[in-house]
């Protein structure tokens, strides 16, 4: 931990609103809302704080999501589990896959009971395999409120509170619309702040800057599978919609109109990335016939918004595309889970959704949808219940102090610019030749620059109160990319989405997990796969 004294005031000169509760949930996407609901149903008092407006913020609220929903038929379940094991590099854990399928089945039926308008097939059966983000999250907000949870909207958490024993004891944040601060003392905290997409403008992800990772790391939390963090999605070069399904009907071309070889095939993203390193790449959805075009517009209306706005007909005209980094949002790295209740390595701190690792059900690859949504609702339910049980078992609140470090101090004259730091981090995290196609020399070069940046900012502060949120976000992204690249260096093979040009093959001796952590000194370690969480289910 840094030299910053925890008793030093960090948000001086501004008022606080203080709360005392059993469970504090940070983040109000699907993982956070399921956690809040589940904790409240366990009899705990719950507060949920979101950076944006809970119900509209985060990666799910902006999109439609496929859900890994499979009927409890043994053959279907077996096929669902076996189907993606090779893609994930055989790092999944069958026991966790089975329990996520069970929990997703139960939760999806609850969503149906609550009145979500699932489509019905011609035989009259409800189709529970996808959810429209806006409707789903509006319903989740309603259920959370009905369960008695207090919601703090537009209230990003900045740092955690810690007690003398090192257990989490709440958090501190700001209320952006009221220009003041909140402090919640809690007996347990669920970290559900989503993943880190590095402000790449990918759909719904600009609130996802890895804040929860930084806060947890300041209490010594461990991370795992952070090398599987280089998900890139196709998007129009001038837009943010990263829904990629419809590109299955596209032809990709270079500037001169010639076809990019391999771009339209399975794994075509690598061909697009290589082509983008040489110059612009264009797409045209010319493989869709008239009825398919109609179905595409009906099923994914927001996909077409950027084209409609700019007067382009994507079926008959080509348009420039790019690959936007989605980092850990559609990657699988995150906080390490230590038991079936989604506890982390910090006492009292639980993790859910993209803030947590998804290695247990996805291994090293998530790719096209479904698993993340299933994980968010399942891990959210377990983390909420686990946090409630922990809180209700704990005695009265103990003395606590602030655990935050970088970017929080008022240090006029010793402040860093969040915008400059963000740009510097993006220059290391975005390039395809560092992050998409990896090699030791390029990763090491990047890490040298990133470590130097960390040394510069870790002892600096925010210029003033208004800059604190952005300062923390930029520092969180810097910390995240350092865990990613240290882990990427430690995995000397290609597996899942982690591609090493200097080690192009999967090496069966490396069928293990890589754990990482630390802020000033980032460390990595390997864990055998058999170590994956073995405690009894806390349903
Ligand atoms: C374009 C796109 C399409 C996708 N499609 C699919 C799909 O089809 N199927 C699928 O399974 N998955 C899909 N995913 C992934 C899926 O959206 C995520 O896995 C899911 O949203 C994770 O839920 P979450 O609650 O963990 O995070 P999010 O939904 O991202 O929510 C995180 C919440 O935390 C809040 N937050 C962040 N920082 C703070 C802070 N400091 N303090 C307080 N609150 C904070 C945010 O405001 C946000 O509300 C898609 C992702 C993208 C980007």
């Amino acid at each position: 931990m840094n030299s910053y004294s925890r008793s030093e005031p960090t948000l001086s000169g501004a008022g606080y609103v203080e709360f005392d509760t059993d469970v504090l949930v940070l983040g109000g996407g699907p993982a956070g809302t399921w956690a809040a609901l589940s904790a409240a149903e366990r009899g705990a008092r719950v507060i949920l704080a979101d950076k944006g407006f809970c119900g509209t913020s985060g990666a799910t609220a902006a999109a439609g999501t496929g859900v890994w929903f499979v009927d409890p038929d043994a053959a279907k379940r077996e096929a669902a589990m076996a189907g993606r094991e090779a893609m994930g590099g055989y790092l999944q854990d069958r026991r966790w896959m089975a329990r996520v399928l069970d929990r997703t089945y139960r939760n999806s039926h609850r969503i149906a009971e609550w009145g979500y308008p699932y489509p019905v097939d011609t035989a009259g059966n409800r189709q529970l395999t996808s959810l429209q983000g806006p409707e789903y999250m509006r319903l989740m907000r309603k259920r959370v409120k009905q369960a008695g949870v207090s919601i703090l909207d537009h209230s990003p958490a900045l740092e955690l509170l810690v007690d003398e024993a090192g257990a989490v004891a709440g958090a501190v944040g700001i209320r952006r619309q009221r220009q003041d601060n909140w402090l919640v003392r809690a007996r347990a905290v669920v970290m559900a702040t989503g993943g880190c997409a590095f402000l790449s403008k990918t759909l719904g992800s600009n609130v996802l800057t890895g804040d929860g990772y930084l806060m947890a790391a300041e209490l010594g939390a461990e991370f795992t599978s952070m090398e599987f963090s280089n998900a890139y999605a196709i998007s129009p070069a001038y837009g943010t919609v990263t829904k990629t399904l419809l590109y299955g009907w596209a032809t990709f071309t270079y500037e001169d109109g010639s076809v990019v070889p391999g771009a339209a095939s399975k794994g075509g993203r690598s061909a697009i990335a290589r082509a983008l390193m040489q110059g612009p790449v264009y797409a045209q959805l010319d493989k869709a016939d008239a009825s398919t075009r109609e179905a595409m517009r009906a099923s994914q209306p927001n996909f077409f918004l950027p084209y409609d706005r700019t007067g382009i007909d994507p079926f008959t005209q080509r348009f420039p595309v790019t690959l936007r980094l989605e980092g850990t949002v559609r990657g699988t790295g995150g906080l390490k889970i230590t038991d079936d209740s989604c506890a982390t390595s910090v006492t009292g701190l639980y993790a859910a959704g993209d803030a947590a690792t998804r290695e247990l059900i996805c291994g090293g690859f998530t790719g096209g949808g479904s698993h993340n949504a299933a994980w968010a609702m399942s891990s959210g339910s377990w983390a909420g219940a686990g946090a409630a049980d922990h809180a209700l078992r704990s005695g009265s609140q103990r003395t606590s102090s602030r655990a935050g470090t970088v970017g929080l101090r008022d240090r006029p004259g010793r402040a860093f610019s969040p915008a400059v730091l963000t740009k510097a981090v993006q220059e290391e995290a975005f390039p395809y030749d560092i992050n998409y196609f990896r090699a030791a020399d390029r990763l090491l070069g990047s890490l040298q620059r990133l470590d130097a940046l960390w040394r510069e900012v870790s002892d600096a502060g925010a210029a003033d109160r208004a800059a604190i949120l952005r300062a923390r976000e930029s520092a969180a992204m810097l910390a995240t990319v350092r865990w990613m690249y240290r882990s990427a260096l430690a995995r000397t093979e290609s597996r899942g989405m982690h591609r090493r040009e200097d080690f192009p093959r999967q090496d069966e001796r490396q069928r293990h997990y890589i754990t990482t952590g630390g802020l000033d000194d980032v460390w990595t370690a390997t864990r055998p796969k058999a170590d994956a969480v073995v405690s009894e289910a806390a349903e």
Side-chain angles (χ1 to χ4, degrees):
M1 207 159 276
N2 277 3
S3 54
Y4 164 53
S5 152
R6 284 181 180 155
S7 57
E8 196 178 326
T10 53
L11 299 166
S12 54
Y16 277 83
V17 53
E18 297 192 16
F19 305 88
D20 187 278
T21 194
D22 297 319
V23 173
L24 170 64
V25 178
L26 299 178
T33 48
W34 276 103
L37 197 58
S38 156
E41 286 170 352
R42 222 65 169 195
R45 294 170 304 148
V46 185
I47 294 177
L48 182 155
D50 196 283
K51 187 189 269 189
F53 183 82
C54 166
T56 64
S57 192
T60 289
T65 53
V67 180
W68 200 35
F69 173 93
V70 182
D71 284 323
D73 166 288
K76 285 187 188 163
R77 289 274 171 102
E78 170 58 29
M81 290 193 281
R84 299 250 301 243
E85 279 179 328
M87 212 188 236
Y90 300 98
L91 288 177
Q92 300 91 333
D93 181 303
R94 278 288 180 116
R95 193 180 64 83
W96 274 86
M97 290 168 116
R99 70 190 289 255
V100 165
L101 283 168
D102 280 344
R103 177 52 76 136
T104 302
Y105 184 83
R106 276 165 56 187
N107 284 5
S108 299
H109 280 285
R110 290 191 76 188
I111 295 171
E113 278 160 29
W114 297 336
Y116 178 84
Y118 280 111
V120 175
D121 68 13
T122 46
N125 301 314
R126 275 191 304 234
Q127 299 298 296
L128 305 184
T129 50
S130 75
L131 289 160
Q132 289 301 328
E135 280 80 21
Y136 172 35
M137 291 313 302
R138 190 183 314 129
L139 181 61
M140 289 307 295
R141 181 183 175 96
K142 189 170 129 197
R143 297 304 302 190
V144 163
K145 290 193 86 165
Q146 283 172 346
V149 173
S150 304
I151 300 179
L152 304 177
D153 288 309
H154 302 292
S155 299
L158 292 178
E159 60 179 314
L160 294 174
L161 296 174
V162 62
D163 72 12
E164 299 100 329
V168 70
V172 177
I174 51 176
R175 296 199 297 176
R176 301 182 75 188
Q177 294 181 320
R178 294 177 195 238
Q179 312 291 323
D180 63 8
N181 314 296
W182 57 263
L183 185 150
V184 176
R185 287 186 195 82
R187 289 159 186 78
V189 173
V190 178
M191 194 59 81
T193 44
C196 180
F198 296 95
L199 296 177
S200 67
K201 299 191 169 66
T202 186
L203 188 65
S205 298
N206 268 17
V207 283
L208 308 176
T209 44
D211 309 3
Y213 301 153
L214 175 60
M215 288 187 266
E218 287 169 335
L219 260 67
E222 295 180 0
F223 300 84
T224 177
S225 285
M226 289 300 281
E227 67 276 29
F228 305 120
S229 48
N230 51 347
Y232 285 80
I234 310 171
S235 117
Y238 47 79
T240 60
V241 178
T242 43
K243 297 298 286 180
T244 51
L245 180 74
L246 304 192
Y247 289 102
W249 284 267
T251 298
F252 296 91
T253 47
Y254 294 108
E255 181 86 81
D256 66 4
S258 60
V259 171
V260 177
S265 62
K266 194 164 176 271
R269 236 163 270 188
S270 296
I272 297 171
R274 289 204 191 282
L276 280 167
M277 289 198 282
Q278 292 159 32
V281 173
Y282 298 83
Q284 185 178 329
L285 306 179
D286 53 359
K287 293 179 188 158
D289 60 22
S291 66
T292 310
R293 289 176 190 190
E294 216 174 289
M296 286 161 116
R297 277 202 176 267
S299 67
Q300 294 206 359
N302 62 356
F303 180 90
F304 293 93
L305 287 177
Y307 313 111
D308 293 344
R309 276 201 201 109
T310 43
I312 287 175
D313 177 355
F315 299 112
T316 59
Q317 288 171 279
R318 62 184 203 143
F319 50 92
V321 291
T322 190
L323 290 175
R324 291 197 188 282
L325 180 62
E326 294 185 327
T328 61
V329 173
R330 282 202 266 198
T332 72
L335 283 159
K336 190 179 122 192
I337 297 297
T338 59
D339 72 12
D340 282 9
S341 68
C342 294
T344 68
S345 47
V346 174
T347 308
L349 183 65
Y350 294 74
D354 290 355
T357 179
R358 279 132 289 150
E359 70 192 7
L360 297 163
I361 62 160
C362 300
F365 197 93
T366 55
S370 303
H371 289 60
N372 286 354
W375 174 253
M377 66 170 76
S378 303
S379 61
S381 301
W382 292 319
D389 293 351
H390 178 87
L392 298 174
R393 275 197 312 268
S394 306
S396 55
Q397 291 281 7
R398 287 185 295 268
T399 316
S400 60
S401 53
R402 294 165 175 216
T405 56
V406 54
L408 283 168
R409 277 168 289 178
D410 269 345
R411 279 199 152 185
R414 283 277 294 120
F416 66 88
S417 155
V420 170
L421 180 60
T422 296
K423 190 161 179 297
V425 170
Q426 289 173 334
E427 279 167 6
E428 303 298 336
F430 288 172
Y432 310 129
D433 61 349
I434 304 178
N435 197 3
Y436 194 107
F437 305 109
R438 295 164 166 182
D441 54 345
R442 301 195 294 267
L443 288 168
L444 276 169
S446 180
L447 275 166
Q448 269 170 13
R449 296 185 289 276
L450 291 164
D451 289 346
L453 281 173
W454 183 264
R455 283 193 295 276
E456 242 174 74
V457 301
S458 62
D459 197 34
D464 52 33
R465 220 186 95 74
I468 283 179
L469 176 60
R470 298 292 175 229
R472 288 291 279 174
E473 289 179 338
S474 57
M477 291 187 285
L478 173 57
T480 303
V481 72
R482 289 169 73 230
W483 294 315
M484 281 162 49
Y485 286 179
R486 286 268 170 238
S487 303
L489 263 181
R491 189 174 283 288
T492 50
E493 61 162 351
S494 291
R495 188 182 290 265
M497 65 173 63
H498 168 69
R499 300 165 204 86
R500 284 283 297 257
E501 287 188 334
D502 43 356
F503 295 99
R505 291 214 167 75
Q506 188 161 299
D507 171 3
E508 277 327 298
R509 291 165 305 176
Q510 296 188 49
R511 200 193 283 192
H512 53 222
Y513 296 124
I514 290 173
T515 314
T516 187
L519 288 167
D520 291 343
D521 297 309
V522 174
W523 54 267
T524 59
T526 56
R527 241 162 63 240
K529 181 172 176 286
D531 253 1
V533 187
V534 287
S535 69
E536 281 310 303
E539 294 296 329

